[in-house]
Amino acid sequence: FEYDAVFGPRSLQKYVYDKTAGDLIHNIFRGFNVTVLAYGQTGSGKTHTIFGENGPFSDGVNEDDGIIPRAVHDVFKSINKLEANGNRTTVEMSYLEIYNEEAKDLLCKSDNPPELFIRETKFEGVFVQNLSLHKVNSPHQISDLMEYASAKRATASTHMNAVSSRSHAICTLHVTITPQHTLNLEEGGEVNTEETKAKLTLVDLAGSERIKRTGAEGARMKEGININKGLFVLGQVVSALSELGQQANSNSNNSNIHIKYRDSKLTRLLQDSLGGNSKTVMVACISPADTNAEESLNTLRYAERTRNIKNAA
């Protein structure tokens, strides 16, 4: 297998962050979308890698903080520098889960939340209609919203994980930068009002699982089937995009390959991140247990195929 980086069980959180999302965050302020995906079987350490051990993150970075807290702090560091130079910035946050193939707004506080619809336009790309946006001004505000969303997210106990995520979660930070207005009529200058818009998408995929291993029954079994369905379609999309990337490298004809983004809500929402206009990093987590060797091998193959995908950004 060939990857951009490999981390052992003793790798520090800061080192993992610097080699993954840390290299990409500055691109948001150049107008590029950035996506961070966590993939792996249930219980393999995705939540530890993405969030860390401290739960809601504070105003400073702690040693055990994962990728998301560190990325959020870096975003606001860059924003503070921009605003010191007279630029105006706004950050808005949305958070949804895909549970049993239904999209749900995790930040909506209404007792009767509106139904979410996935739409696409030429200028906005893929977006979610009726999804609430919340203006945030600090890492602490984002932490509070994430804590609220996590309490609403579907989790349950299985034989393989006491707090197993039963849904895929997608958190998005929408960053808008309005440059300092410059007007110098004497020298024939003009007002600079061009805005830069980009988004940071953080994706926590529910772990792939085998019904026999998790001991799931009834509602848990249905959840597991839908989790695996979304991951299966994601796997098909990754394979097709990987083939496209390999053909692009060899200048082969790739007109016959159809990308099945619409076969699941997960792949539809990740359309821009996979093969679109986003700079994307996937963190694949595997278990050290020899009983999980087959699943770990599948994850490694999945990650290698993902590496072949060519995005437009």
Side-chain angles (χ1 to χ4, degrees):
F1 298 108
E2 187 177 347
Y3 306 106
D4 296 298
V6 178
F7 309 105
R10 289 187 174 85
S11 296
L12 297 176
Q13 292 278 47
K14 183 181 185 307
Y15 179 68
V16 173
Y17 171 72
D18 289 342
K19 292 293 183 181
T20 54
D23 280 343
L24 300 179
I25 295 301
H26 69 277
N27 289 292
I28 295 170
F29 301 95
R30 296 167 55 213
F32 291 102
N33 296 328
V34 172
T35 302
V36 180
L37 281 154
Y39 178 81
Q41 78 174 111
T42 185
S44 60
K46 294 186 300 299
T47 300
H48 170 77
T49 304
I50 293 296
F51 289 101
E53 296 296 320
N54 297 313
F57 40 95
S58 60
D59 290 330
V61 177
N62 296 309
E63 186 179 346
D64 291 330
D65 282 342
I67 290 173
I68 288 180
R70 292 174 185 275
V72 168
H73 281 291
D74 277 359
V75 165
F76 278 96
K77 271 186 195 172
S78 298
I79 285 173
N80 290 337
K81 289 179 183 177
L82 285 168
E83 291 184 340
N85 292 325
N87 298 291
R88 289 204 319 272
T89 59
T90 58
V91 181
E92 295 177 304
M93 175 178 168
S94 64
Y95 207 150
L96 65 82
E97 71 172 351
I98 302 170
Y99 176 71
N100 285 342
E101 276 300 293
E102 290 293 325
K104 295 184 177 183
D105 189 343
L106 291 175
L107 297 180
C108 180
K109 297 182 179 179
S110 169
D111 292 333
N112 296 304
E115 187 176 355
L116 303 184
F117 299 96
I118 301 173
R119 307 290 192 210
E120 184 176 9
T121 65
K122 184 177 180 180
F123 299 105
E124 290 186 71
V126 177
F127 68 98
V128 182
Q129 184 179 339
N130 297 329
L131 182 63
S132 62
L133 281 174
H134 301 260
K135 190 173 180 180
V136 287
N137 298 308
S138 69
H140 188 70
Q141 287 185 343
I142 291 177
S143 175
D144 287 345
L145 287 174
M146 283 189 167
E147 189 175 15
Y148 176 80
S150 296
K152 292 177 68 175
R153 190 177 174 191
T155 60
S157 175
T158 69
H159 288 180
M160 291 186 70
N161 193 345
V163 191
S164 173
S165 298
R166 313 309 293 165
S167 64
H168 308 296
I170 302 175
C171 175
T172 306
L173 298 180
H174 303 263
V175 180
T176 304
I177 305 163
T178 305
Q180 184 178 19
H181 288 247
T182 56
L183 179 60
N184 190 339
L185 296 177
E186 290 181 4
E187 297 180 10
E190 58 184 26
V191 178
N192 178 14
T193 57
E194 187 174 314
E195 289 185 336
T196 300
K197 290 189 176 184
K199 59 186 178 182
L200 171 62
T201 304
L202 306 160
V203 186
D204 184 14
L205 298 173
S208 57
E209 56 183 53
R210 303 197 171 199
I211 305 299
K212 282 184 181 179
R213 297 284 307 280
T214 59
E217 297 177 348
R220 298 290 86 79
M221 181 185 289
K222 181 184 176 184
E223 291 164 356
I225 290 169
N226 279 300
I227 288 167
N228 288 339
K229 178 194 172 185
L231 293 174
F232 174 71
V233 176
L234 180 61
Q236 289 185 312
V237 166
V238 165
S239 294
L241 288 169
S242 173
E243 192 175 338
L244 272 177
Q246 289 172 324
Q247 289 186 1
N249 288 337
S250 61
N251 296 320
S252 304
N253 179 28
N254 52 29
S255 59
N256 294 326
I257 298 176
H258 173 61
I259 313 299
K260 298 180 179 179
Y261 289 115
R262 292 177 180 269
D263 281 9
S264 96
K265 283 187 168 63
L266 177 63
T267 49
R268 190 84 172 96
L269 289 170
L270 295 181
Q271 185 169 333
D272 284 341
S273 302
L274 297 169
N277 64 340
S278 177
K279 290 183 178 290
T280 301
V281 59
M282 173 191 260
V283 181
C285 301
I286 59 172
S287 166
D290 55 3
T291 53
N292 295 326
E294 186 179 351
E295 198 68 35
S296 295
L297 199 58
N298 288 335
T299 299
L300 292 172
R301 292 193 188 105
Y302 205 104
E304 187 174 49
R305 288 198 302 270
T306 305
R307 190 172 179 269
N308 292 324
I309 295 174
K310 302 294 182 186
N311 280 12

